[in-house]
């Protein structure tokens, strides 16, 4: 509603037009507004944002607090969408578009400062519902239990590198039967509907991990209040389950005794140097999710060739979850299911010495809500 209401507004468009050319993105303005509201900016617009109301209502927690297994914000925090809660009476009859524009005009200078230097960032841990079985399948190719080293490209805050700190429930769509995996006492509980049989999934035990590394052009420190709040601000304000999930993941990162090593750099140009700095000659799993879609097809091909070159020096597995229609430069096999071009494909390429034939492990929801597993993916 907000986007439709301001699409042709000359004042809003004028503000965006003052930003540097590369920063003239509507999503940046939306995130900047959300960021200020989450930071406590007092304005009637806050009553329209479920996320803001969830952290300011009775019993609510500070932004850094974790989420419980129900994807809520903890006991007494916030309220389910559609239920009466703090701010409902205040926003009744109010025009959200008018409130949004007034907020933007009141905070114009602050918003321009944010838009000039920030970039939209997300770190969707829901995709770990595909990462867990994929890593389990790769690990099964090492019967001696050799630990894997993980390297996440476009890692953002490195939250997917902490996949083994989350709890998982896989529910079969046909009969509702479940498999439970991961860390039982986790702050983040991920649920995934399995299309097909639960027995199609590889073993869901946690593979041994030797180390965790990430690369991002603009990494976010999850232990920083500013960084955590900006990640939260880049989410849509009406999606409380996703908001709660990210809060739990951020709290997990803050409490991690051995956090991942994250490098600032280009995921292609700086990749060889980062791999060289990894202090092991054991198997390396390089993975990314919804990152290659931001590269041109030519750059996607360069990434694949760079990984092939690196695989000449060590066992290397290339794992990714990307939309095939947006990543023609990746070696993604066709889906066994016709008409699935809009889905993310989870694929793995076992590079030398394990071979180089790509395997389409699964199709999945872009936030990991469902999974159709196709192949074992074992080396």
């Amino acid at each position: 509603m907000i986007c439709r209401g301001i699409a042709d507004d000359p004042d809003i468009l004028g503000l965006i037009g003052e930003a540097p050319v590369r920063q003239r993105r509507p999503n940046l303005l939306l995130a900047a507004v959300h960021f200020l509201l989450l930071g406590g900016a007092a304005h009637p617009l806050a009553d329209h944002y479920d996320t803001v109301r969830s952290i300011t209502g009775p019993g609510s927690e500070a932004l850094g607090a974790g989420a419980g297994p129900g994807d809520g914000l903890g006991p007494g925090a916030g309220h389910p969408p559609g239920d009466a809660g703090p701010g409902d009476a205040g926003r009744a009859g109010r025009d959200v578009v008018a409130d949004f524009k007034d907020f933007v005009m009141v905070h114009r200078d602050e918003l321009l400062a944010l838009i000039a230097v920030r970039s939209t960032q997300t770190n969707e841990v829901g995709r770990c519902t595909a990462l867990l079985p994929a890593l389990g399948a790769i690990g099964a190719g090492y019967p001696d239990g050799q630990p894997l080293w993980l390297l996440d490209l476009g890692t953002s805050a490195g939250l997917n590198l902490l996949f083994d700190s989350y709890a998982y429930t896989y529910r079969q769509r046909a009969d509702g039967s479940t498999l439970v995996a991961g860390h039982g006492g986790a702050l983040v509980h991920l649920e995934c509907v399995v299309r097909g049989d639960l027995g199609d999934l590889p073993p869901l035990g946690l593979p041994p991990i030797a180390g965790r590394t990430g690369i991002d052009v603009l990494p976010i420190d999850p232990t920083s209040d500013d960084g955590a709040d900006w990640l939260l601000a880049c989410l849509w304000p009406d999606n409380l389950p996703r908001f709660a999930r990210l809060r739990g993941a951020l709290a997990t990162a803050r409490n991690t005794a051995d956090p991942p090593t994250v490098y600032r750099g280009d995921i292609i140009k700086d990749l060889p140097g980062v791999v060289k700095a990894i202090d092991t000659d054991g198997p390396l799993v390089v993975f990314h999710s919804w990152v290659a879609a931001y590269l041109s097809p030519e750059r996607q091909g360069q990434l694949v060739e760079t990984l092939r070159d690196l695989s000449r020096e060590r066992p290397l597995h290339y794992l990714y979850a990307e939309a095939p229609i947006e990543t023609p430069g990746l070696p993604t096999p066709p889906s066994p299911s016709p008409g699935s071009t809009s889905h993310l494909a989870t694929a793995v390429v076992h590079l030398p010495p394990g071979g180089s034939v790509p395997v389409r492990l699964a199709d999945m929801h872009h936030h990991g809500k469902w999974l159709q597993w196709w192949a074992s993916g074992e080396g």
Side-chain angles (χ1 to χ4, degrees), residues 18-42:
E18 288 187 34
V21 173
R22 292 174 58 87
Q23 300 294 101
R24 295 175 187 173
R25 301 175 184 176
N27 279 0
L28 262 181
L29 174 61
L30 296 173
V33 168
H34 198 188
F35 180 75
L36 294 182
L37 289 172
L38 290 172

Side-chain angles (χ1 to χ4, degrees), residues 43 66 108 111 125 137 140 161 169 177 249 295 325 358 361:
H43 191 277
R108 196 175 193 279
L111 292 169
V125 297
L161 285 163
T169 298
S177 56
L295 305 176
I325 198 170
L361 296 177

Side-chain angles (χ1 to χ4, degrees), residues 59-76:
S60 59
E61 302 169 275
L63 272 183
D71 268 344
L73 293 176

Side-chain angles (χ1 to χ4, degrees), residues 2 6 12 15 28-49 52 94-112 114:
I2 289 175
I6 64 172
I12 301 294
L15 181 148
L28 262 181
L29 174 61
L30 296 173
V33 168
H34 198 188
F35 180 75
L36 294 182
L37 289 172
L38 290 172
H43 191 277
L45 180 63
D47 291 335
H48 299 281
Y49 280 59
V52 178
R94 294 193 61 89
D95 183 341
V96 63
V97 176
D99 284 344
F100 184 90
K101 180 175 178 179
D102 184 72
F103 183 91
V104 170
M105 294 300 102
V106 169
H107 295 276
R108 196 175 193 279
D109 291 343
E110 293 169 90
L111 292 169
L112 272 174
L114 286 169

Side-chain angles (χ1 to χ4, degrees), residues 268 291-305 318 323-331:
I268 301 174
V291 168
Y294 294 97
L295 305 176
S296 68
E298 293 74 21
R299 292 258 293 161
Q300 293 166 12
Q302 290 171 12
L303 173 59
V304 175
E305 288 309 308
Y318 177 32
I325 198 170
E326 296 182 359
T327 54
L330 301 185

Side-chain angles (χ1 to χ4, degrees), residues 123-173:
N123 203 158
E124 182 47 65
V125 297
R127 297 181 189 131
C128 290
T129 58
L131 183 63
L132 173 66
L135 291 175
I138 293 172
Y142 295 93
D144 57 353
Q146 191 170 9
L148 308 174
W149 194 292
L150 306 183
L151 173 54
D152 185 12
L153 307 183
T155 193
S156 189
L159 303 182
N160 286 2
L161 285 163
L162 304 178
F163 77 102
D164 49 352
S165 296
Y166 308 142
Y168 299 81
T169 298
Y170 294 87
R171 189 177 309 277
Q172 186 166 315
R173 182 170 62 173

